[in-house]
Amino acid sequence: MKAWVCTSPGQDLVEETRPRPTANGTDVLIRVEACGVCRTDLHVRDGELPDVPYPIVPGHQVVGKVVSAGADSPIPVGERVGVAWLGWTCGECTYCANDQENLCDAARFHGYHIDGGYAEYMRADARYCFVLDERLPAATTAPLLCAGLIGFRSLRLAGDARRIGLYGFGSAAHIVTQVALHAGQEVYAFTSPGDDQAQRFARELGATWAGGSDEPAPGELDAALIFAPVGSLVPKALKDVRKGGSIVCGGIHMSDIPSFPYADLWGERVIRSVANLTRQDGHDFMALAAEGFLAPQITTYPLGDANRALHDLQDGNVTGSAVLVVD
Ligand SMILES: [Zn+2]
Ligand SMILES: [Zn+2]
């Protein structure tokens, strides 16, 4: 099978021909149909996450078909599945025992510790896969498995908020916009200053307001979700959010947060991060996706163009979500 591999930090991916993995125990072997391209894949490629075990195949937003299954797999051959970021947890620690498996210290992640979906086939532990409705198209479903899921978890952690600011309007934000509007919430989109195209995109999707992150919010927000990896957005968002409101940072990596006056945090404002996902998040969100109202905007690339897709994402040249499609 063909696989695109990160071989050392900061280098483009390399195409390799490898034997197909074997599915043992609770594993399944998945024939990949589509794999979303995530900003985290750039962090893996560039060694910005700790202890990347090179060589590694990135990709953690995978839709495919189970073509073989280990004897103990809860998912049989023939099922359509989705694979997200969480690949394995210990099941025994305090976090795992308290519905916080996303925080398990021993957790392993697809496309980071476990070879991911930038390949024709991928092995995954079926206990961490999500069975998908046959009718969901592969390419538009793939971005739901990270961008959508992290956005969904971020939105949940924002609590009971009606006016929601989204900072950084890429893959996650454009899906979260659809989820929020469906729930009757209002969306305020903050993009890089002068990014008219992203602002237009946000308005087309139904955002109440869209502008640059250098502009103040047009009124007090109840919550802010930050998806851009830019630490200076945190004190900015604090100024936009009302007393008691939350700032939720959805990225796995962010530049340092500049200092700010305590008065800006005062009034029971909350700053928190979102780390990974639980399997319950995945089941809940994919059930929502099965209702069929989510329509991620995608740019597709053949698997062979994995490096071009990563460069386009890095350069800000992707509207919505980039997705690799396997023939
Ligand atoms: Zn654990
Ligand atoms: Zn991701």
Side-chain angles (χ1 to χ4, degrees):
M1 68 168 196
K2 298 248 185 300
W4 286 81
V5 186
C6 296
T7 53
S8 58
Q11 301 297 312
D12 273 340
L13 276 52
V14 176
E15 185 181 35
E16 290 184 5
T17 302
R18 297 176 161 197
R20 282 183 206 171
T22 323
N24 299 311
T26 53
D27 293 342
V28 284
L29 180 68
I30 299 161
R31 185 172 55 73
V32 178
E33 295 169 25
C35 180
V37 179
C38 177
R39 185 162 292 281
T40 301
D41 304 338
L42 292 172
H43 299 319
V44 169
R45 183 195 68 182
D46 295 337
E48 290 168 336
L49 300 182
D51 305 321
V52 179
Y54 300 101
I56 186 81
V57 179
H60 56 269
Q61 316 184 71
V62 184
V63 175
K65 199 128 202 169
V66 174
V67 291
S68 74
D72 301 320
S73 165
I75 301 179
V77 170
E79 288 279 9
R80 192 111 175 291
V81 292
V83 177
W85 176 238
L86 189 71
W88 186 86
T89 52
C90 80
E92 292 169 356
C93 69
T94 317
Y95 298 117
C96 284
N98 287 288
D99 298 328
Q100 291 180 301
E101 65 180 357
N102 59 308
L103 302 180
C104 174
D105 284 322
R108 289 158 57 77
F109 302 104
H110 294 123
Y112 176 12
H113 306 113
I114 303 166
D115 281 333
Y118 283 35
E120 291 174 327
Y121 292 84
M122 171 182 179
R123 174 172 53 199
D125 185 329
R127 295 171 301 169
Y128 296 83
C129 297
F130 307 105
V131 174
L132 297 180
D133 191 305
E134 276 292 335
R135 289 166 301 181
L136 290 173
T140 50
T141 300
L144 301 180
L145 288 154
C146 179
L149 254 172
I150 291 294
F152 177 67
R153 186 172 171 85
S154 305
L155 192 61
R156 273 186 165 176
L157 293 180
D160 186 15
R162 197 171 71 86
R163 295 158 58 91
I164 296 167
L166 303 181
Y167 296 71
F169 204 83
S171 190
H174 98 280
I175 299 170
V176 118
T177 295
Q178 299 174 23
V179 178
L181 294 178
H182 187 74
Q185 296 162 303
E186 290 173 17
V187 168
Y188 297 78
F190 297 84
T191 71
S192 303
D195 191 345
D196 299 335
Q197 194 187 340
Q199 291 166 21
R200 202 165 42 243
F201 180 44
R203 282 188 216 101
E204 281 167 12
L205 286 172
T208 302
W209 177 91
S213 58
D214 54 343
E215 298 174 48
E220 276 196 323
L221 304 177
D222 299 319
L225 313 186
I226 302 182
F227 296 114
V230 181
S232 59
L233 289 173
V234 173
K236 158 66 169 85
L238 270 175
K239 289 188 183 301
D240 291 334
V241 165
R242 65 163 172 81
K243 286 186 286 186
S246 292
I247 316 293
V248 183
C249 303
I252 194 168
H253 181 81
M254 187 183 246
S255 56
D256 286 354
I257 301 172
S259 70
F260 53 86
Y262 179 57
D264 291 352
L265 181 63
W266 175 250
E268 301 196 342
R269 292 179 180 85
V270 175
I271 302 174
R272 68 175 302 166
S273 63
V274 168
N276 317 316
L277 69 142
T278 65
R279 281 174 278 179
Q280 193 59 49
D281 292 328
H283 291 303
D284 293 350
F285 184 58
M286 295 322 292
L288 198 61
E291 291 181 25
F293 68 90
L294 293 170
Q297 181 160 331
I298 57 168
T299 304
T300 58
Y301 300 81
L303 178 63
D305 281 350
N307 282 318
R308 185 164 63 87
L310 286 167
H311 284 291
D312 282 354
L313 179 64
Q314 184 167 26
D315 296 342
N317 291 333
V318 176
T319 300
S321 307
V323 179
L324 301 177
V325 175
V326 185
D327 294 332

